[in-house]
Amino acid sequence: MRRLLAAGVCGAALAAVLTAPAQAEEPDRQAPHWELKDSGTDVRFRGLSAVSRNTAWLAGSQGTVLRTSDGGASWRNVSPPGAAELEFRDIEAFDSRRAVVLAIGEGEASRIFRTDDGGETWTESFRNIDAKAFYDCVTFFDRRHGLAMSDPVDGKFRILSTSDGGRSWKVLPSNGMPAAQEGEAGFAASGQCLVSSGPRDVWLATGGAARARVLHSSDRGLTWRAADTPIPAGDPARGVFALAFRDRTHGIAVGGDYRADQASPRAAAVSGDAGRTWTPADRPPPAYRSGVTWLPHSRSAALAVGPTGTDLTTDGGRTWRTLDTGSYDTVDCTPDLGCWASGEKGRVARLER
């Protein structure tokens, strides 16, 4: 795969390589696979931001932030000082030096930090002071404009906005947000419950209520429209856990029931109209999935991950095929076709051949 990537193979060709049957004489190690990288820790990394095949950031439990600049051969602990009691669940990196990381939890446990020097120093740019708020995910439209979302406060999801790259934040008015269902919330499982595409479009994934929904805004979070999805809900453990949009129109939703002893039928759905309507996958992943990403430069290929494996679609999310049975919580790919995944017990891997 290194030769393919060096040659600039497109995402569709990469998908073809992933699904092609191996030659009989080819050793197993030649097949496309996740190659585990030693992170040097056993914390759980639900936050991942891939910058390139060489550079990636991880965010996890015990206030841990790691960064690699050599393809995962080594990892540098760049955790914010004094953050050991925090749970980092999402990180958005602009490059090898600038990143924003989100800590989740009730009240002041929800915080946002920013670094401009590769994690040498961090600035706390937001600390939640509302006991009713619980922040789950953060996303950026560009290097300046971004949003973070909280579970409902006074019956509506709460949205934070930044226009200076995460150096300062303000709560947006709630009059453009539809009412939340009873028990509805976001899942801070992979940093993908709030995602954006292009300069203004953003989507929010929900669960825990009677219906699993996706909310869409086309004006950077000022007004929202909610749509039901076919992914099972009706329980606090069920719903849409992750979203990926390859443009402002085509999206994939994955989720299910995160409990290991519960089945997750209809664990994926697709949209071709910016999230206004959702169609169940014809052949969904076989179990709960918490993370999803499109392969770059492809109009039809994407990866989904969860505790029981990794699945690939080559038809825009309608059918899925299991590639790997290793446990991962989140996944991210870069324009140079560097695909990364991370999860429990310090697991982090890069897709290799």
Side-chain angles (χ1 to χ4, degrees):
M1 181 172 287
R2 290 189 181 93
R3 288 193 297 271
L4 288 170
L5 292 167
V9 63
C10 70
L14 175 59
V17 172
L18 289 171
T19 55
Q23 298 297 319
E25 67 274 15
E26 184 180 38
D28 288 345
R29 64 182 175 81
Q30 292 294 324
H33 63 282
W34 289 118
E35 182 176 289
L36 286 168
K37 309 293 183 178
D38 184 6
S39 69
T41 181
D42 62 356
V43 305
R44 190 164 198 163
F45 291 114
R46 293 186 182 271
L48 164 67
S49 186
V51 176
S52 69
R53 276 186 56 79
N54 289 324
T55 301
W57 297 69
L58 302 173
S61 55
Q62 300 175 31
T64 306
V65 177
L66 304 185
R67 178 175 60 86
T68 184
S69 57
D70 56 13
S74 63
W75 294 87
R76 184 175 181 185
N77 189 328
V78 293
S79 306
E85 301 300 317
L86 299 178
E87 287 289 322
F88 290 135
R89 294 292 182 91
D90 196 359
I91 187 165
E92 300 293 327
F94 307 112
D95 50 41
S96 63
R97 297 184 61 79
R98 292 173 288 183
V100 171
V101 65
L102 170 74
I104 69 157
E106 297 178 349
E108 293 191 11
S110 285
R111 305 180 195 180
I112 298 176
F113 299 81
R114 177 181 165 110
T115 182
D116 289 291
D117 54 14
E120 291 287 343
T121 60
W122 293 86
T123 300
E124 181 181 306
S125 58
F126 172 77
R127 182 180 298 204
N128 174 48
I129 57 173
D130 189 334
K132 295 178 290 185
F134 185 116
Y135 286 85
D136 299 294
C137 290
V138 62
T139 190
F140 277 84
F141 303 97
D142 52 43
R143 290 174 181 262
R144 294 176 55 208
H145 301 92
L147 301 177
M149 59 81 69
S150 163
D151 290 338
V153 176
D154 298 329
K156 294 183 177 182
F157 285 94
R158 175 169 288 180
I159 303 297
L160 281 181
S161 175
T162 180
S163 59
D164 56 11
R167 296 177 178 87
S168 64
W169 298 83
K170 65 178 181 180
V171 176
L172 292 182
S174 63
N175 54 303
M177 176 67 71
Q181 304 172 86
E182 183 177 355
E184 191 172 25
F187 291 107
S190 60
Q192 296 175 332
C193 59
L194 184 73
V195 301
S196 58
S197 180
R200 304 188 69 82
D201 288 273
V202 59
W203 295 263
L204 188 162
T206 83
R211 303 181 308 279
R213 304 194 297 175
V214 172
L215 281 63
H216 171 229
S217 170
S218 59
D219 54 12
R220 290 184 180 165
L222 293 177
T223 60
W224 298 79
R225 178 176 178 175
D228 293 346
T229 76
I231 292 178
D235 186 279
R238 298 176 188 159
V240 179
F241 281 73
L243 297 167
F245 275 78
R246 66 172 172 82
D247 52 37
R248 69 178 310 270
T249 302
H250 300 89
I252 295 174
V254 300
D257 191 318
Y258 69 73
R259 295 170 295 192
D261 61 344
Q262 298 294 313
S264 289
R266 306 193 309 278
V270 298
S271 176
D273 57 9
R276 286 189 292 272
T277 61
W278 293 86
T279 303
D282 296 330
R283 190 174 72 218
Y288 155 72
R289 293 295 180 254
S290 56
V292 62
T293 189
W294 290 91
L295 288 178
H297 317 300
S298 172
R299 298 178 60 84
S300 59
L303 293 170
V305 299
T308 62
T310 299
D311 306 292
L312 171 75
T313 179
T314 56
D315 56 13
R318 291 186 294 274
T319 62
W320 295 83
R321 170 185 173 184
T322 299
L323 296 179
D324 181 270
T325 57
S327 174
Y328 297 101
D329 292 317
T330 190
V331 62
D332 194 18
C333 291
T334 61
D336 64 351
L337 301 183
C339 290
W340 296 81
S342 65
E344 63 181 342
K345 299 179 180 178
R347 287 171 62 89
V348 58
R350 189 178 69 177
L351 200 63
E352 302 286 358
R353 180 180 173 87

